[in-house]
Amino acid sequence: MPNLSGKHIVLGVTGSIAAYKAASLIRLLVKAGAEVQVVMTAAAKEFITPLTLSTLSGRPVLCDFFDHSDGTWHSHVELGLWADLFIVAPATASTMAKMAYGIADNLLVTCYLATRGRVYIAPAMDLDMYRHPSTIASAARLREMGATILEAEEGELASHLIGKGRLPEPEEIVRRIEEDMDKATTLTGKQLLITSGPTYERIDPVRFIGNYSSGRMGKALAEQAIRMGAEVTLVTGPAQVLPTPHERLRVIRVESADEMLEACRSVTSYQIAIFCAAVADYKVAHPEEQKVKRESRPSMTIELVPNPDIAALMGKEKDKEQIHIGFALETHLDLEQVRDKMERKSFDLIVANTLEDEGAGFGTDTNRVTLLSRDGSIERSLPLMDKEQVALEILNTLPQLS
Ligand code: CTP
């Protein structure tokens, strides 16, 4: 487990009834050796006094842009640079929305915007607010921008309603942050190559043969790998979605399978490759230079020829240290066939799924997969889960493969 000792933490406290839990949270963080700087919103002061929190943290609590007694400016930029971790606990729906859209009308949100460290947000609110599409959208946007949302817990809420919205206990918050930080370093220094999305095979300048792949699995894998510290090159066909830009992410956009192969071969050094793209098996033998006119062809036959098998070719060229992971989408899950595919393409791990499962496959947010390793040490059928979780499960197998 990583140590919080010596870490600089800005703790944002907002106007939720759970603000009282910030007191124990500060004690735990200080006990773990962290330096804690509390920033409160005006509403938070209605729930717990700055005096309590400054006593526990051993530093004056900051609430406003200026110190009203002497006019000193509280620099959000300096605080942002100082912070290794920026934790908002409890986070109200209002603060989450402001953070999500950069509405910087208080010190807490300006600090967030200036922060370069990791961001953790622990929401606490009534169940209807928690499940409101607006809150869900704020959380999704913050997640997309790299924050980790520490999900609220189920239980009795301040309104006496029972449901999701409770701030986790401070011990649990610290445990989740430590666990997440631990994960954040598992791929540090590793270079990943990921193929993603469909390929388009050109018929003429305006028409192509393609498929329904959205690129969501590739996006989830790239973002999760980045979160775990990796450097990622994503070679993507014309996908509907792309990962959020990041300094450790390089995106190479391609259209056809031939271009995808060339782009993959141009990535000269990587330790792990994940072949997630839905590559068209065939391409048009003679693509037309000019748009095909309807009158000129009362009927039309297109001759197709096989595309290169990118995973298989890269597999032949890989060295022993490199790990290759592939996908297998089958109509029926026949493990023998999957193992055969793993051999043919030199995969060390294969992620198999079938179109028979509802919620699995192309264009969905979820997937039900079975993981199989070449050496037989992994054979796990996972339940239906969202693609982010599938990505995490796949990347978590890496230490077992190397
Ligand atoms: N793949 C690839 N290049 C291709 C075809 C597939 O890199 N031309 C990769 C995919 O990204 C995936 C894996 O190979 O990781 C398996 O793809 P799949 O379509 O299941 O395999 P096919 O070789 O097309 O076999 P089949 O359709 O006959 O089952």
Side-chain angles (χ1 to χ4, degrees):
M1 277 283 166
N3 204 322
L4 288 173
S5 172
K7 287 272 185 285
H8 293 168
I9 298 179
V10 169
L11 176 66
V13 182
T14 73
S16 149
I17 190 84
Y20 74 93
K21 288 189 182 172
S24 326
L25 181 58
I26 295 167
R27 286 195 52 198
L28 290 174
L29 295 172
V30 170
K31 216 168 131 194
E35 285 185 50
V36 181
Q37 173 62 62
V38 178
V39 178
M40 292 175 93
T41 61
K45 290 194 279 182
E46 307 285 339
F47 293 93
I48 187 159
T49 67
L51 182 64
T52 307
L53 302 189
S54 64
T55 308
L56 290 168
S57 63
R59 288 166 167 265
V61 165
L62 306 179
C63 303
D64 300 313
F65 291 107
F66 294 96
D67 185 327
H68 293 293
S69 59
D70 61 6
T72 325
W73 185 48
H74 297 141
S75 168
H76 55 278
V77 177
E78 267 171 34
L79 268 177
L81 292 177
W82 178 84
D84 299 310
L85 303 180
F86 186 91
I87 305 172
V88 187
T92 58
S94 161
T95 292
M96 286 172 68
K98 284 184 187 179
M99 289 169 74
Y101 289 94
I103 301 170
D105 64 353
N106 62 32
L107 187 65
L108 191 152
V109 181
T110 49
C111 275
Y112 161 67
L113 294 180
T115 292
R116 294 194 190 165
R118 291 184 67 76
V119 177
Y120 293 92
I121 298 165
M125 62 198 75
D126 205 46
L127 78 163
D128 291 310
M129 292 176 84
Y130 191 68
R131 66 187 174 199
H132 194 279
S134 160
T135 312
I136 293 170
S138 302
R141 200 173 149 82
L142 287 162
R143 230 182 248 123
E144 228 173 61
M145 294 187 292
T148 302
I149 309 288
L150 306 170
E151 291 287 326
E153 289 182 347
E154 299 259 349
E156 191 179 347
L157 304 167
S159 58
H160 302 298
L161 293 171
I162 311 265
K164 209 168 176 186
R166 270 169 67 101
L167 185 74
E169 290 308 317
E171 288 77 5
E172 177 62 11
I173 294 179
V174 173
R175 191 192 65 73
R176 289 199 215 168
I177 291 173
E178 285 181 338
E179 197 182 83
D180 188 73
M181 284 171 62
D182 206 20
K183 260 189 240 142
T185 55
T186 46
L187 293 180
T188 301
K190 299 276 187 218
Q191 288 158 312
L192 262 76
L193 165 66
I194 300 174
T195 69
S196 178
T199 63
Y200 283 1
E201 307 301 330
R202 198 179 163 114
I203 300 172
D204 70 13
V206 294
R207 300 180 181 93
F208 60 84
I209 296 172
N211 61 61
Y212 292 121
S213 169
S214 61
R216 278 185 210 150
M217 194 64 235
K219 170 182 162 75
L221 278 164
E223 287 176 350
Q224 188 57 47
I226 294 277
R227 245 174 254 136
M228 292 164 85
E231 275 177 45
V232 176
T233 302
L234 182 82
V235 178
T236 176
Q240 290 161 31
V241 293
L242 284 177
T244 310
H246 192 280
E247 57 191 8
R248 280 185 275 109
L249 171 69
R250 179 160 75 111
V251 177
I252 307 179
R253 291 170 197 245
V254 297
E255 203 175 275
S256 64
D258 283 324
E259 286 171 17
M260 189 172 273
L261 176 62
E262 198 186 317
C264 287
R265 281 183 164 150
S266 77
V267 181
T268 44
S269 71
Y270 66 86
Q271 289 83 43
I272 299 144
I274 308 181
F275 298 92
C276 181
V279 184
D281 286 324
Y282 298 92
K283 64 183 166 193
V284 178
H286 308 289
E288 304 282 344
E289 292 293 329
Q290 306 293 326
K291 183 182 166 202
V292 176
K293 288 279 183 200
R294 189 149 43 127
E295 311 85 75
S296 68
R297 312 255 182 117
S299 74
M300 190 172 166
T301 304
I302 300 174
E303 189 195 341
L304 299 177
V305 290
N307 254 330
D309 188 328
I310 300 169
L313 289 168
M314 296 287 290
K316 284 206 179 79
E317 293 160 22
K318 87 176 179 122
D319 65 41
K320 268 210 210 107
E321 310 303 315
Q322 289 173 315
I323 295 171
H324 279 197
I325 298 178
F327 280 73
L329 179 63
E330 310 287 342
T331 324
H332 304 285
L333 194 60
D334 176 336
L335 291 187
E336 272 317 300
Q337 270 181 20
V338 171
R339 285 211 176 83
D340 180 56
K341 194 170 282 187
M342 182 145 57
E343 283 304 318
R344 268 192 288 126
K345 306 203 184 206
S346 317
F347 289 147
D348 300 283
L349 181 86
I350 201 157
V351 185
N353 59 358
T354 109
L355 286 168
E356 282 167 347
D357 283 329
E358 206 177 304
F362 281 7
T364 59
D365 287 324
T366 51
N367 214 345
R368 188 199 301 276
V369 301
T370 300
L371 304 181
L372 290 172
S373 68
R374 196 174 191 176
D375 62 8
S377 64
I378 302 170
E379 187 169 333
R380 288 174 57 208
S381 290
L382 303 176
L384 188 69
M385 43 176 70
D386 63 36
K387 288 185 175 172
E388 280 71 33
Q389 283 170 295
V390 174
L392 184 61
E393 293 282 348
I394 294 170
L395 296 172
N396 276 344
T397 63
L398 287 170
Q400 276 171 271
L401 297 173
S402 43

